[in-house]
Amino acid sequence: MNIALKFWSGYVRTTHRWPIIATIVPFIPVVAIWSIVANSGMFPRAFFPAPVDVIRSFISLTYKGILPDYLQDSLIRLLFGATIGVALGIPLGILIGSSRLAHRICWPVLLFFQAIGDIAWLPILLIWFGFGLTTMTFVIVYTVLFPIVLSTVLGVQSVHRDLARAAQSLGASPMRVLWEVTLPGALPNIITGLRNGLGYGWRALIAVEIIVGTSGIGFMMFDARRAGSTVEILLGMIVLGTLWYIVDAWILAPIERATGQRWGLVTS
């Protein structure tokens, strides 16, 4: 028992000093089981490749420039669509959250379109815009928009109205109340909406690349299916998961925590 406690204490100290170890360790048993099953001969290697096969594929596709190019295409599409979604979502959420009239008018419409999945738009988008960037951008914007709007509305409505009244009694203009009271109070919710929206947008991008794309990680995986290359499909899945984990855990999550702590909405 003492040995286990000492080991756990050492592990906690080590991971606190080098957080990346805490990220890698949980995957060690997963990779070990994967390797054991793949090398056991239970399944043909063509259908269930081993980790070493995926590593070889990663090196080969990276050396040829295929993987970097496809990854760059996916990231550019996500950045472009997410930027539009954020630019539309935050102002719309502030408007709906701060105006009762806007809430009455927009809220039913918002809930109606939220219920329509992003992929459900693809048939009509293909008729309107064909196979191209416009279709992909629409799907990403549509997917990113709703989590941001809903979180922003929640954030704005969670700001106590007495704070706005106090600022107005001191002579603050409506814009100053918005900028110095409403937005800071709603910011933690907005950041949470951004985090969720980007995650949904990333998954939607891969889905639309599989269906209508001619490049990108999603297209690479679908093209590998037609060639019967299971190893490239697994490689694409690992790249997607790894990349999003890096973005979410190392960028978005720290920003979310820092924002909440900054405005006194998170207790430790």
Side-chain angles (χ1 to χ4, degrees), residues 34-250:
W34 174 14
S35 181
I36 291 171
V37 173
N39 292 305
S40 67
M42 187 182 305
F43 305 102
R45 289 289 282 267
F47 294 99
F48 196 84
V52 66
D53 299 322
V54 177
I55 294 174
R56 291 196 191 103
S57 178
F58 172 78
I59 295 172
S60 174
L61 292 177
T62 302
Y63 177 77
K64 295 175 182 177
I66 296 174
L67 185 59
D69 287 346
Y70 281 173
L71 185 57
Q72 176 179 297
D73 290 344
S74 293
L75 291 175
I76 290 175
R77 289 165 185 156
L78 177 65
L79 181 61
F80 183 65
T83 301
I84 297 175
V86 171
L88 295 174
I90 294 178
L92 182 59
I94 293 173
L95 175 64
I96 296 174
S98 57
S99 171
R100 291 183 180 179
L101 178 61
H103 189 277
R104 288 180 180 178
I105 295 174
C106 298
W107 193 252
V109 178
L110 190 68
L111 293 181
F112 174 83
F113 282 103
Q114 183 198 19
I116 303 175
D118 44 20
I119 301 302
W121 282 91
L122 274 181
I124 194 169
L125 290 176
L126 291 176
I127 295 174
W128 287 348
F129 306 117
F131 293 78
L133 180 61
T134 303
T135 297
M136 295 185 186
T137 302
F138 184 95
V139 172
I140 297 171
V141 172
Y142 188 86
T143 307
V144 169
L145 183 67
F146 291 102
I148 294 176
V149 172
L150 295 176
S151 295
T152 303
V153 171
L154 177 62
V156 171
Q157 292 181 342
S158 66
V159 177
H160 205 289
R161 296 190 179 275
D162 288 344
L163 296 175
R165 295 190 184 102
Q168 290 171 347
S169 67
L170 294 174
S173 64
M175 285 302 299
R176 191 168 182 180
V177 171
L178 174 65
W179 186 253
E180 297 187 9
V181 177
T182 305
L183 280 180
L187 195 56
N189 291 89
I190 294 175
I191 297 298
T192 301
L194 290 175
R195 184 182 179 187
N196 292 332
L198 290 176
Y200 297 148
W202 179 244
R203 292 196 289 268
L205 169 64
I206 301 306
V208 77
E209 282 182 346
I210 289 175
I211 299 173
V212 304
T214 56
S215 66
I217 299 298
F219 172 78
M220 183 190 78
M221 295 169 63
F222 189 73
D223 196 48
R225 178 205 63 86
R226 288 186 284 193
S229 179
T230 309
V231 65
E232 291 187 13
I233 297 175
L234 288 175
L235 174 60
M237 295 169 65
I238 293 171
V239 168
L240 293 176
T242 302
L243 181 63
W244 182 250
Y245 183 88
I246 292 173
V247 172
D248 183 77
W250 295 2

